[in-house]
Amino acid sequence: MKSTAPRVTHRVAVIGGDGIGPEVIAEALKVVRAGGVELDTTFFDLGGARYLRDGEVLSDDTLAALGEFDAILLGAVGTPGVPPGVIERGLLLKLRFSLDLYINQRPFTGTAPGHTQPHSFVVIRENTEGSYAGEGGVLRKGTVHEVATQGSVNTRFGVERCIRYAFELAAQRERKHVTLVHKTNVLTFAGDLWQRTFDAVATEFPQVGVAYNHVDAACIYFVQDPHRYDVIVTDNLFGDILTDLGGAVSGGIGLASSANLNPARTGPSLFEPVHGSAPDIAGKGVANPLAAILSAALMLDHLGESATADAIRAACNAPVSGSTIAVGDEICRRLQGNR
Ligand code: IPM
Ligand code: MN
C-alpha cells in the first residue's frame, strides 16, 4: 500500500572513500531510492587517495560541515602507500569520537559453516573508548631501549551508556538476552568495571536474561554455537575483532553492515560496511555491494524509514550474484516488484 504522508527528504553526507568504497556506495544509494526514500546527497572526497593528493585527512571545517547532516554514509577508507593510522585515526576514529558515535551496532544473520539452522544476533561494540582512545606513547624510539605503551580507557559513563543501550535493544527483541563479552580473568581493572556496570544495569531490566563469556571462549561459540547469542555487548577492540569473525560465520564479510550511532541524536550517525577498501579488486566491478546496501538499510532505520529498511533486508535475503552493478540492479528489481 502506498503511504499518503508527505515524504521527508533526508540530507545525507556521502563519503565513498577509497578502493571499492565508491562502487558499493553507488549501489546502496540506488537501492534506497528504488525503495522510494528521497535523499539529498552531498559527496565528500575524503580518504587515503585524497590525503595522498593534497594532505587533507579531515579538516575542522569539513568536520563541522559533516555535523550538519541527518546521516553520513561511508564506503571504505584506506589506500596502499599511506602509513597505518593516518586515515584510520585521522578520519574514521575522528568522526566516531567527535560526533560521539558511542555505539557500533553490527547485526549478524546467517547460517554458520557446518550448521543447518540460521542464527541472528547483534554485537553492540563500545565505539569511543578502550584501546582506541589513543592513550600511550613511545620512548627512545628505534633504540634497543624502546618502550611503547598503549592503554585502554574505560569510563563508568562510557561503559554504562553502552551497556544500557544493549539492554534497551534486547528488551525490544524476541529473545531478550544480553551477553557481556570481556576478559575479566586477565584485564581485571577494566573487566571489573564492565562486569559491575553490567550487573547494575541488568537490575533495571528484570525481563532480560544475561550471560557472560570470556572473549576467547566467545570465538569458539561464534563458530560452534552461534545460536546461543541474541545481543552481545563488548569493548571497542574485542568488538572489532569479534565482528570480523561474526561476518565470517554469517555469510562472509561481504554481507556485514554496521551503524555507528549517536543514540542521543546530538548529531548525525554514520553507517558503513564492516569491510575495508579492498584495493586488490577495486575498479573491477566485482565487489559485493550487499554490506553497503544493508548499512544503508540501518541508516533508514535511524532516519525513521523502517518500512523501506525492512523491505531492503527482505530483498537481500534471497541469493543474488553477478557484478557489483548487477547485484544492485537485482535488489532494486525485487524492491520495485514489491511496492
Ligand atoms: C572497523 C575497522 C576500523 C576499526 C578501522 C578501519 C579503524 O576495522 O570498523 O571495524 O578498527 O574500528
Ligand atoms: Mn574492524
PDB file of all heavy atoms in Angstrom, residues 50-72:
ATOM      1  N   ARG A  50      42.619  11.034  -1.308  1.00  0.00           N
ATOM      2  CA  ARG A  50      42.577  12.490  -1.104  1.00  0.00           C
ATOM      3  C   ARG A  50      43.810  12.939  -0.298  1.00  0.00           C
ATOM      4  O   ARG A  50      44.448  13.954  -0.616  1.00  0.00           O
ATOM      5  CB  ARG A  50      41.286  12.858  -0.348  1.00  0.00           C
ATOM      6  CG  ARG A  50      41.228  14.289   0.173  1.00  0.00           C
ATOM      7  CD  ARG A  50      40.942  15.286  -0.933  1.00  0.00           C
ATOM      8  NE  ARG A  50      41.161  16.663  -0.509  1.00  0.00           N
ATOM      9  CZ  ARG A  50      40.231  17.437   0.047  1.00  0.00           C
ATOM     10  NH1 ARG A  50      39.018  16.963   0.246  1.00  0.00           N
ATOM     11  NH2 ARG A  50      40.516  18.681   0.384  1.00  0.00           N
ATOM     12  N   TYR A  51      44.156  12.194   0.722  1.00  0.00           N
ATOM     13  CA  TYR A  51      45.314  12.535   1.555  1.00  0.00           C
ATOM     14  C   TYR A  51      46.592  12.547   0.730  1.00  0.00           C
ATOM     15  O   TYR A  51      47.425  13.453   0.846  1.00  0.00           O
ATOM     16  CB  TYR A  51      45.427  11.533   2.704  1.00  0.00           C
ATOM     17  CG  TYR A  51      46.718  11.631   3.478  1.00  0.00           C
ATOM     18  CD1 TYR A  51      46.960  12.689   4.341  1.00  0.00           C
ATOM     19  CD2 TYR A  51      47.717  10.652   3.330  1.00  0.00           C
ATOM     20  CE1 TYR A  51      48.151  12.791   5.042  1.00  0.00           C
ATOM     21  CE2 TYR A  51      48.905  10.736   4.028  1.00  0.00           C
ATOM     22  CZ  TYR A  51      49.117  11.810   4.878  1.00  0.00           C
ATOM     23  OH  TYR A  51      50.300  11.898   5.568  1.00  0.00           O
ATOM     24  N   LEU A  52      46.745  11.554  -0.144  1.00  0.00           N
ATOM     25  CA  LEU A  52      47.955  11.499  -0.969  1.00  0.00           C
ATOM     26  C   LEU A  52      47.990  12.668  -1.964  1.00  0.00           C
ATOM     27  O   LEU A  52      49.053  13.147  -2.336  1.00  0.00           O
ATOM     28  CB  LEU A  52      48.036  10.171  -1.735  1.00  0.00           C
ATOM     29  CG  LEU A  52      48.324   8.928  -0.885  1.00  0.00           C
ATOM     30  CD1 LEU A  52      48.286   7.668  -1.736  1.00  0.00           C
ATOM     31  CD2 LEU A  52      49.670   9.050  -0.146  1.00  0.00           C
ATOM     32  N   ARG A  53      46.802  13.119  -2.369  1.00  0.00           N
ATOM     33  CA  ARG A  53      46.739  14.207  -3.351  1.00  0.00           C
ATOM     34  C   ARG A  53      47.068  15.560  -2.736  1.00  0.00           C
ATOM     35  O   ARG A  53      47.892  16.297  -3.243  1.00  0.00           O
ATOM     36  CB  ARG A  53      45.343  14.237  -3.984  1.00  0.00           C
ATOM     37  CG  ARG A  53      45.348  14.621  -5.435  1.00  0.00           C
ATOM     38  CD  ARG A  53      44.037  14.337  -6.149  1.00  0.00           C
ATOM     39  NE  ARG A  53      42.884  14.918  -5.497  1.00  0.00           N
ATOM     40  CZ  ARG A  53      41.907  14.187  -4.971  1.00  0.00           C
ATOM     41  NH1 ARG A  53      41.940  12.874  -5.032  1.00  0.00           N
ATOM     42  NH2 ARG A  53      40.883  14.772  -4.397  1.00  0.00           N
ATOM     43  N   ASP A  54      46.417  15.917  -1.622  1.00  0.00           N
ATOM     44  CA  ASP A  54      46.659  17.276  -1.093  1.00  0.00           C
ATOM     45  C   ASP A  54      46.844  17.353   0.416  1.00  0.00           C
ATOM     46  O   ASP A  54      46.843  18.438   0.982  1.00  0.00           O
ATOM     47  CB  ASP A  54      45.554  18.238  -1.558  1.00  0.00           C
ATOM     48  CG  ASP A  54      44.205  17.930  -0.914  1.00  0.00           C
ATOM     49  OD1 ASP A  54      44.153  17.064  -0.024  1.00  0.00           O
ATOM     50  OD2 ASP A  54      43.210  18.560  -1.317  1.00  0.00           O
ATOM     51  N   GLY A  55      46.982  16.185   1.069  1.00  0.00           N
ATOM     52  CA  GLY A  55      47.308  16.212   2.501  1.00  0.00           C
ATOM     53  C   GLY A  55      46.118  16.323   3.427  1.00  0.00           C
ATOM     54  O   GLY A  55      46.267  16.203   4.637  1.00  0.00           O
ATOM     55  N   GLU A  56      44.907  16.540   2.888  1.00  0.00           N
ATOM     56  CA  GLU A  56      43.757  16.658   3.819  1.00  0.00           C
ATOM     57  C   GLU A  56      43.276  15.285   4.293  1.00  0.00           C
ATOM     58  O   GLU A  56      43.040  14.377   3.485  1.00  0.00           O
ATOM     59  CB  GLU A  56      42.578  17.423   3.190  1.00  0.00           C
ATOM     60  CG  GLU A  56      41.270  17.122   3.947  1.00  0.00           C
ATOM     61  CD  GLU A  56      40.296  18.284   4.174  1.00  0.00           C
ATOM     62  OE1 GLU A  56      40.573  19.404   3.725  1.00  0.00           O
ATOM     63  OE2 GLU A  56      39.260  18.042   4.830  1.00  0.00           O
ATOM     64  N   VAL A  57      43.138  15.137   5.599  1.00  0.00           N
ATOM     65  CA  VAL A  57      42.520  13.926   6.156  1.00  0.00           C
ATOM     66  C   VAL A  57      41.085  14.276   6.572  1.00  0.00           C
ATOM     67  O   VAL A  57      40.129  13.709   6.052  1.00  0.00           O
ATOM     68  CB  VAL A  57      43.334  13.378   7.338  1.00  0.00           C
ATOM     69  CG1 VAL A  57      42.660  12.133   7.909  1.00  0.00           C
ATOM     70  CG2 VAL A  57      44.750  13.040   6.902  1.00  0.00           C
ATOM     71  N   LEU A  58      40.944  15.219   7.480  1.00  0.00           N
ATOM     72  CA  LEU A  58      39.616  15.708   7.875  1.00  0.00           C
ATOM     73  C   LEU A  58      39.822  17.028   8.604  1.00  0.00           C
ATOM     74  O   LEU A  58      40.180  17.044   9.782  1.00  0.00           O
ATOM     75  CB  LEU A  58      38.913  14.690   8.797  1.00  0.00           C
ATOM     76  CG  LEU A  58      37.524  15.106   9.305  1.00  0.00           C
ATOM     77  CD1 LEU A  58      36.541  15.283   8.169  1.00  0.00           C
ATOM     78  CD2 LEU A  58      36.989  14.084  10.306  1.00  0.00           C
ATOM     79  N   SER A  59      39.595  18.119   7.889  1.00  0.00           N
ATOM     80  CA  SER A  59      39.809  19.432   8.498  1.00  0.00           C
ATOM     81  C   SER A  59      38.662  19.753   9.450  1.00  0.00           C
ATOM     82  O   SER A  59      37.589  19.144   9.382  1.00  0.00           O
ATOM     83  CB  SER A  59      39.888  20.511   7.412  1.00  0.00           C
ATOM     84  OG  SER A  59      38.613  20.652   6.815  1.00  0.00           O
ATOM     85  N   ASP A  60      38.883  20.733  10.313  1.00  0.00           N
ATOM     86  CA  ASP A  60      37.830  21.146  11.249  1.00  0.00           C
ATOM     87  C   ASP A  60      36.603  21.655  10.495  1.00  0.00           C
ATOM     88  O   ASP A  60      35.477  21.423  10.919  1.00  0.00           O
ATOM     89  CB  ASP A  60      38.366  22.216  12.206  1.00  0.00           C
ATOM     90  CG  ASP A  60      39.382  21.620  13.179  1.00  0.00           C
ATOM     91  OD1 ASP A  60      39.455  20.378  13.282  1.00  0.00           O
ATOM     92  OD2 ASP A  60      40.117  22.401  13.821  1.00  0.00           O
ATOM     93  N   ASP A  61      36.851  22.346   9.380  1.00  0.00           N
ATOM     94  CA  ASP A  61      35.719  22.871   8.595  1.00  0.00           C
ATOM     95  C   ASP A  61      34.890  21.728   8.019  1.00  0.00           C
ATOM     96  O   ASP A  61      33.650  21.759   8.047  1.00  0.00           O
ATOM     97  CB  ASP A  61      36.215  23.752   7.438  1.00  0.00           C
ATOM     98  CG  ASP A  61      36.671  25.109   7.945  1.00  0.00           C
ATOM     99  OD1 ASP A  61      36.456  25.387   9.150  1.00  0.00           O
ATOM    100  OD2 ASP A  61      37.251  25.872   7.146  1.00  0.00           O
ATOM    101  N   THR A  62      35.574  20.721   7.475  1.00  0.00           N
ATOM    102  CA  THR A  62      34.855  19.580   6.897  1.00  0.00           C
ATOM    103  C   THR A  62      34.093  18.837   7.994  1.00  0.00           C
ATOM    104  O   THR A  62      32.933  18.441   7.797  1.00  0.00           O
ATOM    105  CB  THR A  62      35.833  18.635   6.182  1.00  0.00           C
ATOM    106  OG1 THR A  62      36.611  19.407   5.269  1.00  0.00           O
ATOM    107  CG2 THR A  62      35.101  17.544   5.427  1.00  0.00           C
ATOM    108  N   LEU A  63      34.733  18.681   9.143  1.00  0.00           N
ATOM    109  CA  LEU A  63      34.065  18.009  10.267  1.00  0.00           C
ATOM    110  C   LEU A  63      32.803  18.769  10.669  1.00  0.00           C
ATOM    111  O   LEU A  63      31.743  18.163  10.877  1.00  0.00           O
ATOM    112  CB  LEU A  63      35.043  17.904  11.448  1.00  0.00           C
ATOM    113  CG  LEU A  63      34.493  17.289  12.731  1.00  0.00           C
ATOM    114  CD1 LEU A  63      34.020  15.857  12.498  1.00  0.00           C
ATOM    115  CD2 LEU A  63      35.560  17.315  13.839  1.00  0.00           C
ATOM    116  N   ALA A  64      32.922  20.091  10.740  1.00  0.00           N
ATOM    117  CA  ALA A  64      31.756  20.909  11.118  1.00  0.00           C
ATOM    118  C   ALA A  64      30.663  20.767  10.062  1.00  0.00           C
ATOM    119  O   ALA A  64      29.474  20.652  10.390  1.00  0.00           O
ATOM    120  CB  ALA A  64      32.162  22.366  11.281  1.00  0.00           C
ATOM    121  N   ALA A  65      31.055  20.738   8.791  1.00  0.00           N
ATOM    122  CA  ALA A  65      30.065  20.602   7.713  1.00  0.00           C
ATOM    123  C   ALA A  65      29.352  19.255   7.816  1.00  0.00           C
ATOM    124  O   ALA A  65      28.124  19.161   7.702  1.00  0.00           O
ATOM    125  CB  ALA A  65      30.735  20.748   6.352  1.00  0.00           C
ATOM    126  N   LEU A  66      30.113  18.185   8.072  1.00  0.00           N
ATOM    127  CA  LEU A  66      29.519  16.847   8.186  1.00  0.00           C
ATOM    128  C   LEU A  66      28.512  16.785   9.335  1.00  0.00           C
ATOM    129  O   LEU A  66      27.500  16.083   9.261  1.00  0.00           O
ATOM    130  CB  LEU A  66      30.614  15.794   8.382  1.00  0.00           C
ATOM    131  CG  LEU A  66      31.450  15.470   7.143  1.00  0.00           C
ATOM    132  CD1 LEU A  66      32.692  14.663   7.528  1.00  0.00           C
ATOM    133  CD2 LEU A  66      30.631  14.707   6.101  1.00  0.00           C
ATOM    134  N   GLY A  67      28.817  17.538  10.390  1.00  0.00           N
ATOM    135  CA  GLY A  67      27.966  17.527  11.581  1.00  0.00           C
ATOM    136  C   GLY A  67      26.576  18.070  11.347  1.00  0.00           C
ATOM    137  O   GLY A  67      25.678  17.881  12.168  1.00  0.00           O
ATOM    138  N   GLU A  68      26.363  18.732  10.215  1.00  0.00           N
ATOM    139  CA  GLU A  68      25.067  19.351   9.919  1.00  0.00           C
ATOM    140  C   GLU A  68      24.086  18.414   9.209  1.00  0.00           C
ATOM    141  O   GLU A  68      22.935  18.756   8.997  1.00  0.00           O
ATOM    142  CB  GLU A  68      25.261  20.600   9.047  1.00  0.00           C
ATOM    143  CG  GLU A  68      26.032  21.727   9.737  1.00  0.00           C
ATOM    144  CD  GLU A  68      25.333  22.186  11.018  1.00  0.00           C
ATOM    145  OE1 GLU A  68      24.110  22.372  10.995  1.00  0.00           O
ATOM    146  OE2 GLU A  68      26.033  22.302  12.050  1.00  0.00           O
ATOM    147  N   PHE A  69      24.556  17.241   8.794  1.00  0.00           N
ATOM    148  CA  PHE A  69      23.690  16.348   8.008  1.00  0.00           C
ATOM    149  C   PHE A  69      22.809  15.481   8.912  1.00  0.00           C
ATOM    150  O   PHE A  69      23.046  15.383  10.110  1.00  0.00           O
ATOM    151  CB  PHE A  69      24.547  15.474   7.084  1.00  0.00           C
ATOM    152  CG  PHE A  69      25.086  16.263   5.910  1.00  0.00           C
ATOM    153  CD1 PHE A  69      26.240  17.023   6.029  1.00  0.00           C
ATOM    154  CD2 PHE A  69      24.406  16.261   4.705  1.00  0.00           C
ATOM    155  CE1 PHE A  69      26.721  17.777   4.965  1.00  0.00           C
ATOM    156  CE2 PHE A  69      24.872  17.013   3.636  1.00  0.00           C
ATOM    157  CZ  PHE A  69      26.034  17.765   3.763  1.00  0.00           C
ATOM    158  N   ASP A  70      21.814  14.849   8.295  1.00  0.00           N
ATOM    159  CA  ASP A  70      20.944  13.927   9.041  1.00  0.00           C
ATOM    160  C   ASP A  70      21.644  12.594   9.267  1.00  0.00           C
ATOM    161  O   ASP A  70      21.340  11.877  10.218  1.00  0.00           O
ATOM    162  CB  ASP A  70      19.647  13.671   8.258  1.00  0.00           C
ATOM    163  CG  ASP A  70      18.833  14.950   8.063  1.00  0.00           C
ATOM    164  OD1 ASP A  70      18.902  15.835   8.937  1.00  0.00           O
ATOM    165  OD2 ASP A  70      18.140  15.060   7.028  1.00  0.00           O
ATOM    166  N   ALA A  71      22.552  12.237   8.342  1.00  0.00           N
ATOM    167  CA  ALA A  71      23.284  10.969   8.458  1.00  0.00           C
ATOM    168  C   ALA A  71      24.497  11.031   7.540  1.00  0.00           C
ATOM    169  O   ALA A  71      24.559  11.865   6.630  1.00  0.00           O
ATOM    170  CB  ALA A  71      22.397   9.796   8.062  1.00  0.00           C
ATOM    171  N   ILE A  72      25.443  10.142   7.802  1.00  0.00           N
ATOM    172  CA  ILE A  72      26.635  10.018   6.955  1.00  0.00           C
ATOM    173  C   ILE A  72      26.704   8.565   6.487  1.00  0.00           C
ATOM    174  O   ILE A  72      26.577   7.635   7.288  1.00  0.00           O
ATOM    175  CB  ILE A  72      27.916  10.377   7.745  1.00  0.00           C
ATOM    176  CG1 ILE A  72      27.819  11.799   8.322  1.00  0.00           C
ATOM    177  CG2 ILE A  72      29.156  10.240   6.854  1.00  0.00           C
ATOM    178  CD1 ILE A  72      28.924  12.149   9.316  1.00  0.00           C
TER     179      ILE A  72
END
